[in-house]
Amino acid sequence: MGLLGIGLLSLSASVAVLSPPAGSDTDPTALVGEGGSFLTPVTDVLLKADPGLSPLNPSYTDANLDSAIGDFAGTGPGEFDADFVVSERPLTSGEAATTTANGRTFAYVPFAATPVAVATLAVCNATELTGNSTAALCPDIPLTAEQAALLFTFNLTSSSVSPNQGLPSSLTGWSDSRLTQSNGQPMPSGGIYQASTLEPSAENTALMAFLDSDPTAKELFDNALNNPAARATSSSDTPSETWPFQGSHAFVGGDAGLVGKELNLDAETGSPSEANSWNLGDVFPLSSVWAAAPEGTPWNVPTAAIQNAAGKFVEPTEAAAASSEGDATMDPTTNLVTFAANSNNATAYNNYMMVESYLVVPTSGLTAAKAQKLAQYIRFVVGPEGQSDEETLGSAPPTSSMVAADLKVANQVDAEATSSASGAAASGGSSGSSGSSGSSGSSSSSTTSTTAGTASTAAALDPTGGTGNTGSGDGLAATGTPSDVVPVLVVGFVMVGLGAVGLLRLRRVRRRRVAP
């Protein structure tokens, strides 16, 4: 072999050793999804209903949204513990930077708009408390933002704490004249208590935004946050996934864990226990898809009718969510959805209490088999059957413009599958290979696209509207960053030099052997 051949062989070997892998670390026989509990009932149904995912086994874990995004972002180049995420917020700039640095570009697929309900366990029919039906509780209590703030800051405010300009007096209980039943009649007496989940949740973010939307509600909230006796975990009223007041009715386990404790659900049957064992008087935010029968057993958690921008009191139904979604806007670059107030829309659910859920999907870094199935799953979710399942469970399916954007993302993921397969074949591996050719191929196909939801722009957004990951785009790690190229070339040239030295020595030895 000549000097050039030895050098090229050495360079090829060094590239194969140093390039980051293209595939994820998840089970190659499964399509692994993670997220929070906000949309679990819908996600579980969609994954089970899609026959096109076979032979991959779909799975979904809903322990904690922040942890799920961390698994999606990865722990190192090519090291990921989730193939996709169901998220109610965009990745922060830091999370996006980690994701791209580890070799994965991504896009958002908006697919379900869901109301955040205010669950109310106030008793209206005391004679019904002998069974396990929620018929004893008051349904559809009308609430303004101020009334909601009075409920969620009950016993947490103080007139000696600033701000307190014009601070409304605290409620005396559910029988306070400022609260009524849906028919306008007074509420029976009863104590008011707040409940919450200890995990980060979109419900908390929405509720805090709702309280901030009204001056009086915001003042009540701020007063409670600054009251030392309330022992808030933060004094900021900026909407957060974590509810700042954690009393005795704060539970682990997301939405299911919260409802399980509030209705004292039977561990074997999943049915509510006797009504007199419930946490009566409690009020808490809850994803509306958990209120009725999310796991097959009727719970029928009573929820309030929230006042919207038109001044109407609207219940958290799928129809109200779809009406609110009609006023929403979608960023054509990122696919991120913003709900807007419309004073002429009497049927919409309150825009501050609406949440969009996204599939966050890799547009590079997946094996061909997984990318192909994930693209197919996107099409199923936004297709007729997926939309029907979402409506049945209480979420509004995506609008036609959202569907069009989502299908473009599906095409990107399809291109990823093609690139991964081509790269694996070129490197002599299977479609699940982690070879360097698969990595660079899948990256180039996704970063050249300008369709909505590309990772270079999505990564530049965080939940507060700030910018981050400003080096994304041509500098994405998955496309082969300069920091990867330099050591490869150095090692290659070293190997070339070693090859040249070895060849010269071999020639000298041969000359000695043939000398007379």
Side-chain angles (χ1 to χ4, degrees):
M1 181 181 293
L3 177 61
L4 180 60
I6 294 176
L8 292 177
L9 179 60
S10 301
L11 181 58
S12 174
S14 66
V15 170
V17 170
L18 296 179
S19 294
S24 70
D25 285 345
T26 57
D27 183 351
T29 67
L31 188 64
V32 181
E34 293 188 27
S37 66
F38 185 88
L39 205 70
T40 295
V42 175
T43 302
D44 284 347
V45 167
L46 292 175
L47 285 172
K48 292 175 182 176
D50 184 4
L53 294 178
S54 179
L56 293 185
N57 177 38
S59 67
Y60 183 73
T61 304
D62 66 355
N64 183 301
L65 175 57
D66 292 352
S67 297
I69 290 177
D71 286 344
F72 179 83
T75 57
E79 298 177 1
F80 307 103
D81 292 324
D83 298 322
F84 69 92
V85 167
V86 177
S87 178
E88 287 68 49
R89 65 168 176 84
L91 273 64
T92 65
S93 57
E95 291 166 340
T98 299
T99 306
T100 54
N102 287 335
R104 172 175 275 181
T105 53
F106 61 92
Y108 297 103
V109 177
F111 74 101
T114 306
V116 172
V118 173
T120 54
L121 303 192
V123 177
C124 276
N125 301 299
T127 57
E128 300 284 349
L129 288 174
T130 55
N132 66 349
S133 167
T134 53
L137 306 180
C138 308
D140 309 325
I141 298 173
L143 291 180
T144 63
E146 179 179 332
Q147 290 167 328
L150 286 167
L151 287 170
F152 282 101
T153 63
F154 182 75
N155 280 342
L156 297 176
T157 57
S158 171
S159 58
S160 63
V161 173
S162 181
N164 58 14
Q165 296 79 14
L167 195 69
S169 60
S170 181
L171 295 171
T172 57
W174 284 105
S175 60
D176 192 288
S177 60
R178 286 169 286 182
L179 301 174
T180 67
Q181 299 184 50
S182 58
N183 58 9
Q185 295 300 308
M187 302 270 289
S189 61
I192 298 171
Y193 312 93
Q194 300 92 15
S196 63
T197 176
L198 288 170
E199 282 83 15
S201 75
E203 292 95 331
N204 293 330
T205 306
L207 176 60
M208 294 173 73
F210 179 48
L211 299 183
D212 284 349
S213 70
D214 176 84
T216 304
K218 186 176 187 298
E219 186 176 354
L220 284 162
F221 188 36
D222 285 341
N223 181 278
L225 290 170
N226 287 279
N227 181 11
R231 294 186 291 182
T233 57
S234 170
S235 60
S236 173
D237 65 8
T238 301
S240 166
E241 293 177 290
T242 303
W243 184 244
F245 307 108
Q246 303 294 347
S248 58
H249 289 180
F251 306 109
V252 298
D255 294 85
L258 177 58
V259 176
K261 292 293 185 180
E262 289 298 301
L263 298 185
N264 193 20
L265 298 180
D266 185 278
E268 294 184 2
T269 65
S271 299
S273 299
E274 290 290 319
N276 55 17
S277 70
W278 301 343
N279 288 343
L280 298 176
D282 276 12
V283 58
F284 52 93
L286 181 72
S287 172
S288 63
V289 297
W290 284 98
E295 296 178 344
T297 301
W299 294 348
N300 298 326
V301 179
T303 56
I306 305 298
Q307 189 179 44
N308 64 13
K312 302 298 182 181
F313 294 94
V314 180
E315 302 161 22
T317 63
E318 185 277 328
S323 183
S324 182
E325 192 177 38
D327 297 323
T329 59
M330 182 184 67
D331 188 320
T333 305
T334 64
N335 289 359
L336 296 177
V337 175
T338 301
F339 293 94
N342 183 352
S343 59
N344 295 317
N345 190 344
T347 60
Y349 196 64
N350 186 285
N351 59 291
Y352 292 102
M353 297 290 274
M354 285 296 303
V355 172
E356 186 72 30
S357 292
Y358 307 88
L359 289 174
V360 187
V361 299
T363 52
S364 65
L366 275 184
T367 62
K370 291 197 175 190
Q372 182 184 40
K373 293 300 181 181
L374 189 54
Q376 186 276 328
Y377 181 60
I378 293 172
R379 296 187 177 96
F380 175 83
V381 166
V382 303
E385 185 175 347
Q387 291 195 29
S388 177
D389 288 338
E390 291 163 25
E391 290 173 341
T392 299
L393 289 164
S395 291
T399 63
S400 57
S401 60
M402 294 176 192
V403 170
D406 294 344
L407 292 177
K408 289 182 180 180
V409 175
N411 290 339
Q412 284 183 274
V413 179
D414 261 339
E416 174 187 8
T418 302
S419 297
S420 295
S422 299
S427 62
S430 65
S431 61
S433 171
S434 300
S436 60
S437 299
S439 176
S440 61
S442 61
S443 302
S444 61
S445 67
S446 62
T447 55
T448 55
S449 172
T450 57
T451 59
T454 54
S456 60
T457 49
L461 294 177
D462 62 23
T464 62
T467 58
N469 194 31
T470 54
S472 61
D474 291 340
L476 295 179
T479 63
T481 60
S483 61
D484 289 332
V485 172
V486 171
V488 169
L489 292 177
V490 170
V491 173
F493 285 125
V494 169
M495 296 299 291
V496 169
L498 291 176
V501 171
L503 184 59
L504 290 174
R505 289 181 176 178
L506 178 60
R507 288 175 175 173
R508 288 173 182 172
V509 169
R510 287 178 175 174
R511 289 194 184 107
R512 292 192 188 104
R513 288 179 178 175
V514 299

